[in-house]
Amino acid sequence: MKIKAFAPGKIILFGEHSVVHKKPAIAVAINRGVNVELESREDNIVHVVVPVIDYSAELELVDKKLNFKLDSQKKMITDYIYEVINLFEFEKGFNLTVDIKMYLGAGLGSSAAVSVSTLKAVSIYAGFDLDKKTIAHKAREIEIKIQGAASPIDTSMSTYGGIIFIDENFELSRINFDMQLPLIVSNCEISGNTGKLVESVRVKYEKYPKIVGNIFTAMEQISIDARKALEDGDSEKIGHLMNMNQGLLDAIGVNTIELSDMVYEARKYGSIGSKLTGSGGGGCIIAYCPENIDEIYTQLSKKYATFKCEQSDEGVQAEIID
Ligand code: PMV
């Protein structure tokens, strides 16, 4: 038996950080993500391979469970895989290849895509057909266990796909938008630490409650207006709102010189809205390019790891090949 699964990564279009403080955000699932292939074995071995980090390990099933203890200090991408495997019991072993086809640690939700795609494949092998709600819930529990405080954005986007508005109660609703968003992603190839950045914003909020509170309120209005701009197809407004959101993210201290360089480079070549995406401190920017996308892509690619980003509407998917 062979099972193939895919889960997309995501970008945050509006509302990172403020979402942690119960303000709405908008995220887009992207056409880059994680492919998992699971092949059954006749013995009790679980062989896990993660090509992108040159990882290969064989572990044994004991009484149908994996003989594995998580080292909570290391916080490796493989922790997510083993936490998922640990949720189930298996009659027989399997080979699992987790092929990460996206930037790692760059704010694009790679760890969530790993958890969600692995959950889908491994749960089918264990005899369960989990619905999307359960997958998103379990993947988020794993994310909180390994990473600490986390909104449900990454795990929800990997599970459900599409363009999603996350409200102040973390309720999700799909935004009706039937075009592809012309977006480019560039990566400065320095990793930000999400946990530390979220904490630094919390400290700043505690120190300057009125100012940072007002910034969060402005971010809230940006996400609300952006939803309408997306539904109306108002490109100019989408661009303006992205640029304003970038300024506010800078104000709360999560921007960096490298991210700023990329943001302004994108605008120089014609992007009408560009901002960091995710936690900041490194990682990626997104550039909104309703016009001249090819030229802007060519220019950004000369300096940075860059890709044109298409949205993924499906979310997690699996195929069983006997
Ligand atoms: O960098 P990422 O993809 O982990 O995004 C973090 C987004 C934050 O709003 C900063 C945190 C969160 O959990 O929502």
Side-chain angles (χ1 to χ4, degrees):
M1 180 194 212
K2 212 185 229 188
I3 301 161
K4 286 184 177 190
F6 169 79
K10 65 91 194 39
I11 51 137
I12 298 180
L13 206 49
F14 297 99
E16 48 274 270
H17 286 288
S18 48
V19 71
V20 178
H21 300 270
K22 297 288 175 95
K23 304 291 185 199
I26 297 175
V28 181
I30 60 172
N31 61 340
R32 298 224 166 178
V34 175
N35 288 306
V36 165
E37 199 170 295
L38 185 153
E39 203 164 5
S40 54
R41 293 176 65 121
E42 285 308 313
D43 55 18
N44 280 337
I45 299 296
V46 173
H47 185 191
V48 176
V49 176
V50 188
V52 76
I53 53 165
D54 274 333
Y55 179 89
S56 172
E58 281 196 352
L59 290 104
E60 203 178 346
L61 291 173
V62 178
D63 294 333
K64 301 184 183 179
K65 294 285 283 185
L66 200 64
N67 194 7
F68 168 80
K69 279 262 171 305
L70 183 74
D71 177 350
S72 58
Q73 294 309 308
K74 284 204 197 133
K75 297 197 167 93
M76 302 272 294
I77 195 77
T78 46
D79 293 348
Y80 295 85
I81 299 168
Y82 288 120
E83 282 292 332
V84 168
I85 296 174
N86 263 339
L87 293 173
F88 303 95
E89 292 188 344
F90 306 94
E91 298 296 334
K92 288 267 162 62
F94 54 91
N95 298 325
L96 185 76
T97 303
V98 180
D99 199 4
I100 302 171
K101 296 281 192 204
M102 59 189 298
Y103 304 141
L104 261 177
L108 301 184
S110 53
S111 55
V114 164
S115 300
V116 169
S117 53
T118 307
L119 244 168
K120 184 76 187 173
V122 166
S123 61
I124 293 172
Y125 186 63
F128 297 94
D129 189 10
L130 302 181
D131 60 15
K132 288 197 168 181
K133 198 171 170 198
T134 311
I135 291 178
H137 179 73
K138 287 192 182 298
R140 181 161 185 234
E141 278 184 347
I142 289 171
E143 188 138 296
I144 290 172
K145 184 168 175 190
I146 297 174
Q147 182 190 296
S151 74
I153 291 187
D154 287 17
T155 42
S156 302
M157 297 313 297
S158 280
T159 308
Y160 296 105
I163 302 185
I164 286 182
F165 184 86
I166 298 108
D167 76 10
E168 63 283 3
N169 298 313
F170 291 157
E171 296 290 335
L172 315 177
S173 51
R174 258 182 127 91
I175 298 182
N176 298 320
F177 185 83
D178 50 13
M179 294 176 342
Q180 280 291 333
L181 278 172
L183 286 174
I184 293 172
V185 175
S186 286
N187 182 4
C188 72
E189 297 180 77
I190 300 167
S191 283
N193 180 320
T194 303
K196 281 192 184 151
L197 286 151
V198 168
E199 175 59 11
S200 74
V201 172
R202 192 193 61 75
V203 168
K204 212 157 258 169
Y205 188 22
E206 213 169 75
K207 203 162 175 193
Y208 308 103
K210 275 225 163 106
I211 299 169
V212 177
N214 281 328
I215 292 174
F216 288 156
T217 306
M219 288 174 166
E220 174 178 34
Q221 196 57 51
I222 286 174
S223 291
I224 292 167
D225 288 5
R227 178 183 194 149
K228 173 114 188 22
L230 284 165
E231 283 166 348
D232 294 347
D234 188 339
S235 306
E236 190 186 45
K237 196 164 183 182
I238 294 167
H240 286 162
L241 293 170
M242 286 175 73
N243 293 339
M244 285 187 230
N245 201 160
Q246 168 65 14
L248 296 171
L249 287 163
D250 195 7
I252 57 170
V254 298
N255 192 24
T256 65
I257 292 172
E258 292 80 8
L259 289 167
S260 261
D261 282 350
M262 295 195 293
V263 159
Y264 284 105
E265 198 84 358
R267 290 184 202 171
K268 182 169 102 188
Y269 290 111
S271 166
I272 63 167
S274 58
K275 62 180 277 292
L276 67 87
T277 185
S279 61
C284 294
I285 64 136
I286 46 173
Y288 179 58
C289 311
E291 281 167 28
N292 296 330
I293 189 160
D294 292 331
E295 169 63 10
I296 302 165
Y297 170 75
T298 304
Q299 293 300 339
L300 289 173
S301 309
K302 286 182 188 166
K303 284 181 112 169
Y304 313 108
T306 296
F307 67 96
K308 278 189 209 164
C309 158
E310 282 167 29
Q311 70 227 32
S312 163
D313 282 326
E314 291 267 334
V316 66
Q317 300 151 54
E319 186 191 350
I320 303 169
I321 307 151
D322 274 318

